[in-house]
Amino acid sequence: MRNIKMVFFKIFFISLMVALAMKGSQINIQDLQNFCLQDTVTLLSFPLLFLLTIYMLTRPKPVYLVDFSCYLPPSHLKVSVKTLMEHARRAREAGVCWKNKENDYLIEFQQKILERSGLGQETYIPDGLQCFPLQQDMAASRKETEQVIFGALDNLFRNTGVKPGEIGILVVNSSTFNPTPSLASMIVNKYKLRDNIKSLNLGGMGCSAGVIAIDVAKGLLQVHRNTYAIVVSTENITQNLYLGKNKSMLVTNCLFRVGGAAVLLSNRSRDRRRAKYELVHTVRIHTGSDDRSFECATQEEDEDGIIGVTLTKNLPMVAARTLKINIATLGPLVLPMKEKLAFFVTFVKKKYFKPELKNYTPDFKLAFEHFCIHAGGRALIDELEKNLKLSPLHVEASRMTLHRFGNTSSSSIWYEMAYTEAKGRMKEGDRIWQIALGSGFKCNSSVWVALRNVKPSVNNPWEDCMDRYPVEIDI
């Protein structure tokens, strides 16, 4: 059959060539001159048309954020600082942790951390950590993660009207809880996502993994056209409560709380009309080649064999250095020309003439209207506010997120975005900088622009308490 087709094709091709030759034999010099004079513009337009076609086929596809949803835990999971300390004392008395019952200094240490942390009286811890004996097994951990992920996704699907079967890409990130089957597979099974879905599960990448997941989804959306992508960012608290006596590991107990977010992205041009934001830039910096960066936040066993996350004294220095590299990379992409020039002049002076000259810190307030700084802790927010020369209003979303929800790891930047929406501050054309730092050590940024005056979606996590915020935070 294939040979017959080839024969017919050859006969057709030869016949066409003969016809063109016969037609060409009838063309004289005058015909050629008229053709050249009349159709020069047409001939010249062919290369331009070709180049335009190549550009349209290869140019980056816009990535739109249709909507996102942050998980709001049920009210019975709320805990005050007083309740947390009562839990700690009961755990000690029951011999669950700190085998030496004389170690009261560990209780006092956590009390001081909590009082200075910036966390409020309504953060959430999971069911498994609210009972005695504590439930930290795989079943309790799965229960927490399922509640968070499914709660956020159910709300996202309701608000957008998108059916699970329309999702072509799924990216999930959770740093320390990565069961088998994966969290991505858990979502595929729950919502019966299609067989050819492109799914990824990112683990061990710390609090900055939310931006990494967005960047990965963006890359996949450039390859797979006309589809939706879902990004899910969360962390598990149940299995990660540290029960030892190492102070550097106890800090995480005081900061991390239940939370998670689901984000719907699209590369379909028709979704621009209803999308909230367009993704403009992502910048990822990883300084893990340096030993101090690599070791400053490590999950390991303490001297008694109890697993926890160690935070070293090098962490502030490493964070500042990694942030500086991120800023130097992002600045040329977003800053106005005046700021770029000032930065360049200072750089040249410092390098060649005055080594003692201080580095020039660009005014990022000229590039962004809103800042979503990862709510990793009070000291982190303070440091970024100072280094970037921001006002209290610029860091309000970060401080209030830390106060209301605690450190929810990679999802905290979405609670901050939700806060800004709930306040009615997100206007068309506004630029938003999400910035997160995490183990490894990494500093990652994503830049969005609002496509319209954005209103909070249904079941915004702040809708039941927005009238009380912002609040004064005791020093």
Side-chain angles (χ1 to χ4, degrees), residues 111-126:
Q111 178 89 40
K112 291 179 181 178
I113 295 292
L114 283 166
E115 290 173 350
R116 301 171 185 174
S117 65
L119 274 69
Q121 303 296 324
E122 295 183 314
T123 59
Y124 301 90
I125 62 173

PDB file of all heavy atoms in Angstrom, residues 111-126:
ATOM      1  N   GLN A 111       8.828  28.859  76.251  1.00  0.00           N
ATOM      2  CA  GLN A 111       7.946  29.949  76.659  1.00  0.00           C
ATOM      3  C   GLN A 111       8.487  31.288  76.161  1.00  0.00           C
ATOM      4  O   GLN A 111       7.752  32.110  75.615  1.00  0.00           O
ATOM      5  CB  GLN A 111       7.815  29.976  78.186  1.00  0.00           C
ATOM      6  CG  GLN A 111       6.947  31.103  78.733  1.00  0.00           C
ATOM      7  CD  GLN A 111       5.478  30.716  78.829  1.00  0.00           C
ATOM      8  OE1 GLN A 111       5.151  29.599  79.211  1.00  0.00           O
ATOM      9  NE2 GLN A 111       4.604  31.634  78.479  1.00  0.00           N
ATOM     10  N   LYS A 112       9.790  31.503  76.323  1.00  0.00           N
ATOM     11  CA  LYS A 112      10.413  32.755  75.887  1.00  0.00           C
ATOM     12  C   LYS A 112      10.358  32.897  74.363  1.00  0.00           C
ATOM     13  O   LYS A 112      10.085  33.984  73.846  1.00  0.00           O
ATOM     14  CB  LYS A 112      11.861  32.819  76.369  1.00  0.00           C
ATOM     15  CG  LYS A 112      12.003  32.984  77.878  1.00  0.00           C
ATOM     16  CD  LYS A 112      13.465  33.007  78.291  1.00  0.00           C
ATOM     17  CE  LYS A 112      13.601  33.159  79.798  1.00  0.00           C
ATOM     18  NZ  LYS A 112      15.040  33.136  80.224  1.00  0.00           N
ATOM     19  N   ILE A 113      10.624  31.803  73.659  1.00  0.00           N
ATOM     20  CA  ILE A 113      10.571  31.843  72.190  1.00  0.00           C
ATOM     21  C   ILE A 113       9.172  32.210  71.719  1.00  0.00           C
ATOM     22  O   ILE A 113       8.992  33.061  70.839  1.00  0.00           O
ATOM     23  CB  ILE A 113      10.992  30.484  71.589  1.00  0.00           C
ATOM     24  CG1 ILE A 113      12.457  30.194  71.892  1.00  0.00           C
ATOM     25  CG2 ILE A 113      10.747  30.465  70.081  1.00  0.00           C
ATOM     26  CD1 ILE A 113      13.434  31.109  71.200  1.00  0.00           C
ATOM     27  N   LEU A 114       8.166  31.577  72.307  1.00  0.00           N
ATOM     28  CA  LEU A 114       6.777  31.837  71.912  1.00  0.00           C
ATOM     29  C   LEU A 114       6.367  33.272  72.195  1.00  0.00           C
ATOM     30  O   LEU A 114       5.677  33.912  71.390  1.00  0.00           O
ATOM     31  CB  LEU A 114       5.838  30.863  72.634  1.00  0.00           C
ATOM     32  CG  LEU A 114       5.792  29.440  72.070  1.00  0.00           C
ATOM     33  CD1 LEU A 114       5.106  28.494  73.053  1.00  0.00           C
ATOM     34  CD2 LEU A 114       5.075  29.424  70.734  1.00  0.00           C
ATOM     35  N   GLU A 115       6.788  33.793  73.341  1.00  0.00           N
ATOM     36  CA  GLU A 115       6.413  35.167  73.702  1.00  0.00           C
ATOM     37  C   GLU A 115       7.022  36.200  72.761  1.00  0.00           C
ATOM     38  O   GLU A 115       6.455  37.273  72.569  1.00  0.00           O
ATOM     39  CB  GLU A 115       6.839  35.453  75.143  1.00  0.00           C
ATOM     40  CG  GLU A 115       6.012  34.685  76.174  1.00  0.00           C
ATOM     41  CD  GLU A 115       6.563  34.839  77.584  1.00  0.00           C
ATOM     42  OE1 GLU A 115       7.687  35.384  77.723  1.00  0.00           O
ATOM     43  OE2 GLU A 115       5.886  34.411  78.541  1.00  0.00           O
ATOM     44  N   ARG A 116       8.160  35.886  72.166  1.00  0.00           N
ATOM     45  CA  ARG A 116       8.839  36.824  71.277  1.00  0.00           C
ATOM     46  C   ARG A 116       8.648  36.487  69.794  1.00  0.00           C
ATOM     47  O   ARG A 116       9.187  37.170  68.933  1.00  0.00           O
ATOM     48  CB  ARG A 116      10.343  36.823  71.585  1.00  0.00           C
ATOM     49  CG  ARG A 116      10.680  37.198  73.026  1.00  0.00           C
ATOM     50  CD  ARG A 116      12.147  36.962  73.305  1.00  0.00           C
ATOM     51  NE  ARG A 116      12.481  37.211  74.709  1.00  0.00           N
ATOM     52  CZ  ARG A 116      13.675  36.966  75.246  1.00  0.00           C
ATOM     53  NH1 ARG A 116      14.645  36.462  74.496  1.00  0.00           N
ATOM     54  NH2 ARG A 116      13.895  37.210  76.526  1.00  0.00           N
ATOM     55  N   SER A 117       7.909  35.435  69.519  1.00  0.00           N
ATOM     56  CA  SER A 117       7.839  34.903  68.155  1.00  0.00           C
ATOM     57  C   SER A 117       7.011  35.742  67.197  1.00  0.00           C
ATOM     58  O   SER A 117       7.209  35.685  65.984  1.00  0.00           O
ATOM     59  CB  SER A 117       7.249  33.490  68.194  1.00  0.00           C
ATOM     60  OG  SER A 117       5.895  33.532  68.637  1.00  0.00           O
ATOM     61  N   GLY A 118       6.044  36.505  67.737  1.00  0.00           N
ATOM     62  CA  GLY A 118       5.118  37.229  66.873  1.00  0.00           C
ATOM     63  C   GLY A 118       3.877  36.435  66.542  1.00  0.00           C
ATOM     64  O   GLY A 118       3.001  36.911  65.821  1.00  0.00           O
ATOM     65  N   LEU A 119       3.779  35.184  67.054  1.00  0.00           N
ATOM     66  CA  LEU A 119       2.583  34.374  66.841  1.00  0.00           C
ATOM     67  C   LEU A 119       1.487  34.796  67.813  1.00  0.00           C
ATOM     68  O   LEU A 119       1.754  35.146  68.959  1.00  0.00           O
ATOM     69  CB  LEU A 119       2.887  32.887  67.039  1.00  0.00           C
ATOM     70  CG  LEU A 119       3.429  32.126  65.822  1.00  0.00           C
ATOM     71  CD1 LEU A 119       4.830  32.587  65.472  1.00  0.00           C
ATOM     72  CD2 LEU A 119       3.416  30.616  66.084  1.00  0.00           C
ATOM     73  N   GLY A 120       0.249  34.735  67.335  1.00  0.00           N
ATOM     74  CA  GLY A 120      -0.889  35.114  68.164  1.00  0.00           C
ATOM     75  C   GLY A 120      -1.469  33.935  68.930  1.00  0.00           C
ATOM     76  O   GLY A 120      -0.828  32.894  69.094  1.00  0.00           O
ATOM     77  N   GLN A 121      -2.705  34.103  69.363  1.00  0.00           N
ATOM     78  CA  GLN A 121      -3.356  33.116  70.218  1.00  0.00           C
ATOM     79  C   GLN A 121      -4.315  32.205  69.456  1.00  0.00           C
ATOM     80  O   GLN A 121      -5.089  31.466  70.072  1.00  0.00           O
ATOM     81  CB  GLN A 121      -4.135  33.840  71.328  1.00  0.00           C
ATOM     82  CG  GLN A 121      -3.284  34.765  72.174  1.00  0.00           C
ATOM     83  CD  GLN A 121      -2.221  34.032  72.966  1.00  0.00           C
ATOM     84  OE1 GLN A 121      -2.438  32.913  73.436  1.00  0.00           O
ATOM     85  NE2 GLN A 121      -1.050  34.648  73.124  1.00  0.00           N
ATOM     86  N   GLU A 122      -4.276  32.235  68.113  1.00  0.00           N
ATOM     87  CA  GLU A 122      -5.241  31.448  67.343  1.00  0.00           C
ATOM     88  C   GLU A 122      -4.594  30.649  66.213  1.00  0.00           C
ATOM     89  O   GLU A 122      -5.230  30.358  65.207  1.00  0.00           O
ATOM     90  CB  GLU A 122      -6.319  32.368  66.757  1.00  0.00           C
ATOM     91  CG  GLU A 122      -7.185  33.052  67.792  1.00  0.00           C
ATOM     92  CD  GLU A 122      -8.279  33.883  67.149  1.00  0.00           C
ATOM     93  OE1 GLU A 122      -7.984  34.636  66.194  1.00  0.00           O
ATOM     94  OE2 GLU A 122      -9.430  33.778  67.605  1.00  0.00           O
ATOM     95  N   THR A 123      -3.339  30.282  66.368  1.00  0.00           N
ATOM     96  CA  THR A 123      -2.714  29.427  65.362  1.00  0.00           C
ATOM     97  C   THR A 123      -3.213  27.995  65.543  1.00  0.00           C
ATOM     98  O   THR A 123      -3.919  27.684  66.506  1.00  0.00           O
ATOM     99  CB  THR A 123      -1.182  29.478  65.482  1.00  0.00           C
ATOM    100  OG1 THR A 123      -0.805  29.051  66.798  1.00  0.00           O
ATOM    101  CG2 THR A 123      -0.661  30.901  65.262  1.00  0.00           C
ATOM    102  N   TYR A 124      -2.829  27.117  64.611  1.00  0.00           N
ATOM    103  CA  TYR A 124      -3.416  25.774  64.602  1.00  0.00           C
ATOM    104  C   TYR A 124      -2.341  24.683  64.681  1.00  0.00           C
ATOM    105  O   TYR A 124      -1.289  24.784  64.052  1.00  0.00           O
ATOM    106  CB  TYR A 124      -4.209  25.555  63.303  1.00  0.00           C
ATOM    107  CG  TYR A 124      -5.320  26.551  63.088  1.00  0.00           C
ATOM    108  CD1 TYR A 124      -5.086  27.747  62.404  1.00  0.00           C
ATOM    109  CD2 TYR A 124      -6.616  26.301  63.539  1.00  0.00           C
ATOM    110  CE1 TYR A 124      -6.099  28.665  62.185  1.00  0.00           C
ATOM    111  CE2 TYR A 124      -7.639  27.214  63.333  1.00  0.00           C
ATOM    112  CZ  TYR A 124      -7.380  28.393  62.649  1.00  0.00           C
ATOM    113  OH  TYR A 124      -8.393  29.295  62.443  1.00  0.00           O
ATOM    114  N   ILE A 125      -2.644  23.639  65.470  1.00  0.00           N
ATOM    115  CA  ILE A 125      -1.831  22.431  65.446  1.00  0.00           C
ATOM    116  C   ILE A 125      -2.766  21.250  65.167  1.00  0.00           C
ATOM    117  O   ILE A 125      -3.958  21.320  65.467  1.00  0.00           O
ATOM    118  CB  ILE A 125      -1.045  22.211  66.758  1.00  0.00           C
ATOM    119  CG1 ILE A 125      -1.990  22.043  67.946  1.00  0.00           C
ATOM    120  CG2 ILE A 125      -0.067  23.347  66.989  1.00  0.00           C
ATOM    121  CD1 ILE A 125      -1.253  21.656  69.230  1.00  0.00           C
ATOM    122  N   PRO A 126      -2.260  20.174  64.577  1.00  0.00           N
ATOM    123  CA  PRO A 126      -3.134  19.074  64.133  1.00  0.00           C
ATOM    124  C   PRO A 126      -3.691  18.235  65.276  1.00  0.00           C
ATOM    125  O   PRO A 126      -3.234  18.308  66.422  1.00  0.00           O
ATOM    126  CB  PRO A 126      -2.206  18.240  63.240  1.00  0.00           C
ATOM    127  CG  PRO A 126      -0.825  18.543  63.747  1.00  0.00           C
ATOM    128  CD  PRO A 126      -0.859  19.974  64.186  1.00  0.00           C
TER     129      PRO A 126
END
